[in-house]
Amino acid sequence: MKPPVSSSSSSSSSSSVLRKPARLSPYLFSLLTFILFVAILYGEDFMCIFGRQLQLRPDLERPVSRPEKKREKLPFAIGRAEEGCDVFNGRWVRDESNRPLYEESECPYIQPQLTCQEHGRPEKEYQYWRWQPHGCDLPRFNATLMLETLRGKRMMYVGDSLNRGQYVSFICLLHSIIPEDAKSMETFGSLTVFTAKEYNATIEFYWAPFLLESNSDDAVVHRVSDRIVRKGSVNKHGKHWKGVDIVVFNTYLWWMTGLKMKILLGSFDDEVKDIVELSTEDAYRMAMKSMLRWVRLNMDRKKTRVFFTSMSPTHAKSIDWGGREGGNCYNETTMIEDPTYWGSDSRKSIMQVIGEVFGKSKVPITFLNITQLSSYRKDAHTSIYKKQWSPLTPEQLANPVSYADCVHWCLPGLQDTWNELLFAKLFYA
């Protein structure tokens, strides 16, 4: 039995419940009023100071207004390019300790049209220059990494003789680490195939100077003055490109026949051919769209890479760089120093077409912009130091300028840099 609750305890409890709330101290009221006044008066300053503290505290989570879109990782890439680095914008620096990347005599795959030392060029200055981008460095070409990446794969260069020169340069950069009995090179019409047997890899070149079907498609006999390109014919050659993992396209020089280009609307087999003339720019635009359409339909963007090399400049008019009238690249052993130099043989209208077509396309393609950096190199052409396929006349011998080749490039030389840029863009996209 519980003891009875005392009356004193009951009255005490009642009084605590019924007690009136205590009045706020006048001192406390004054203090709170002062704090409120200061907060209103200087609130913006406090927020600014507090905001700076948030910025300076990396451990505090900052509010994010818009999430950044994750950049798509390109196939074969092993790292990111340096932020803000344009590898095509830079300068040439002399680097005798690291250049050339191989010796002409050590690469048996160089065609005699490109072996300048073998054909009597008296100096090697053109071999000692390295491209140095502004604000960053090019990764060094790594032949082992390249071959391991190509294991079980196909790589192909498609285009004209300038792309073939880049192709041969690429082989020269790789072949020395492959045993002699584990590599081979064979040509089958328009297709040349270098095989690295231990890697089950092929590096190929396919002759297609316009990319589309043309009357200049014979890989050996193609010197045609009246050039004709067939519209919508990319599959004529494209069937040979299917299945490649990395492809490098180029086309430019063969379009430079004048201001107009002949386009075949039917077939080369038609008895009466339907031919129209387009401006060179419109004809070139047609080819670029056809190439991108082929890429979209035949290349897996998640597994393959596509490159396009811009126009290779010629140096056929020495007045372009302040030389004498009537001269060209013959006897030129120094480069052009003017960083804004652009030769008259490199049509800016064609570069604009490329920019327009590629800019509108959703097809992922990496543009190798070698034009400006190559424009400085009037010293690097084969000039007269190459195999001549026809005997030279007494008039030609008396005037070397008349037969100097100011289109193609000596190897080793400039085109090795093109492949260093390709390497950089392949692995550090």
Side-chain angles (χ1 to χ4, degrees), residues 2 8 10 37 46 57 96 99 173 188 190 196 208 226 233 245 248 282 318 338 365 415-417 426:
K2 291 183 181 179
S8 63
S10 177
F37 173 78
F46 284 142
R57 290 280 308 278
E96 198 167 344
R99 288 294 188 274
L173 290 167
F188 312 93
S190 295
D226 191 24
S233 58
D245 300 280
V248 184
D282 285 342
S318 56
D338 180 5
I365 186 164
Q415 291 187 296
D416 302 321
T417 296
L426 177 65

Side-chain angles (χ1 to χ4, degrees), residues 244-260:
V244 299
D245 300 280
I246 302 170
V247 62
V248 184
F249 290 110
N250 98 308
T251 183
Y252 170 70
L253 191 65
W254 284 71
W255 297 90
M256 299 301 108
T257 58
L259 298 177
K260 297 284 187 179

Side-chain angles (χ1 to χ4, degrees), residues 131-235:
W131 182 247
Q132 176 62 56
H134 293 315
C136 57
D137 295 311
L138 275 180
R140 189 173 180 83
F141 190 94
N142 186 325
T144 302
L145 172 61
M146 193 72 240
L147 281 169
E148 285 296 340
T149 300
L150 290 175
R151 187 179 291 277
K153 293 180 173 58
R154 291 176 66 197
M155 180 175 180
M156 182 181 285
Y157 288 76
V158 177
D160 59 22
S161 57
L162 287 157
N163 221 22
R164 181 168 55 202
Q166 187 178 353
Y167 164 72
V168 172
S169 159
F170 193 81
I171 301 299
C172 291
L173 290 167
L174 290 177
H175 87 99
S176 62
I177 67 171
I178 306 172
E180 204 61 42
D181 60 351
K183 56 191 174 187
S184 65
M185 182 179 277
E186 299 175 278
T187 298
F188 312 93
S190 295
L191 184 66
T192 299
V193 181
F194 176 86
T195 304
K197 299 173 185 176
E198 292 181 354
Y199 294 88
N200 188 29
T202 60
I203 305 163
E204 309 169 31
F205 169 75
Y206 186 90
W207 171 264
F210 293 98
L211 302 183
L212 305 179
E213 183 184 6
S214 75
N215 62 346
S216 304
D217 285 345
D218 190 296
V220 179
V221 184
H222 46 246
R223 291 179 180 269
V224 180
S225 57
D226 191 24
R227 297 171 185 170
I228 302 172
V229 177
R230 181 178 161 227
K231 182 180 179 180
S233 58
V234 69
N235 288 326

Side-chain angles (χ1 to χ4, degrees), residues 363-379:
V363 175
I365 186 164
T366 302
F367 186 55
L368 299 177
N369 191 1
I370 55 85
T371 306
Q372 184 71 71
L373 64 93
S374 304
S375 293
Y376 308 131
R377 299 303 306 275
K378 62 183 172 65
D379 60 312

Side-chain angles (χ1 to χ4, degrees), residues 261-308:
M261 192 76 203
K262 289 185 176 180
I263 305 299
L264 175 66
L265 299 180
S267 166
F268 280 106
D269 296 329
D270 294 341
E271 190 172 332
V272 179
K273 294 177 175 57
D274 186 4
I275 295 174
V276 298
E277 284 194 341
L278 294 179
S279 69
T280 302
E281 288 75 15
D282 285 342
Y284 193 85
R285 182 179 288 105
M286 174 191 72
M288 291 296 96
K289 288 181 177 179
S290 292
M291 178 193 73
L292 290 176
R293 189 181 305 114
W294 184 91
V295 170
R296 178 172 56 82
L297 295 174
N298 294 280
M299 301 289 284
D300 184 344
R301 64 186 297 163
K302 295 182 179 179
K303 297 180 181 178
T304 63
R305 289 289 297 277
V306 181
F307 295 85
F308 186 85

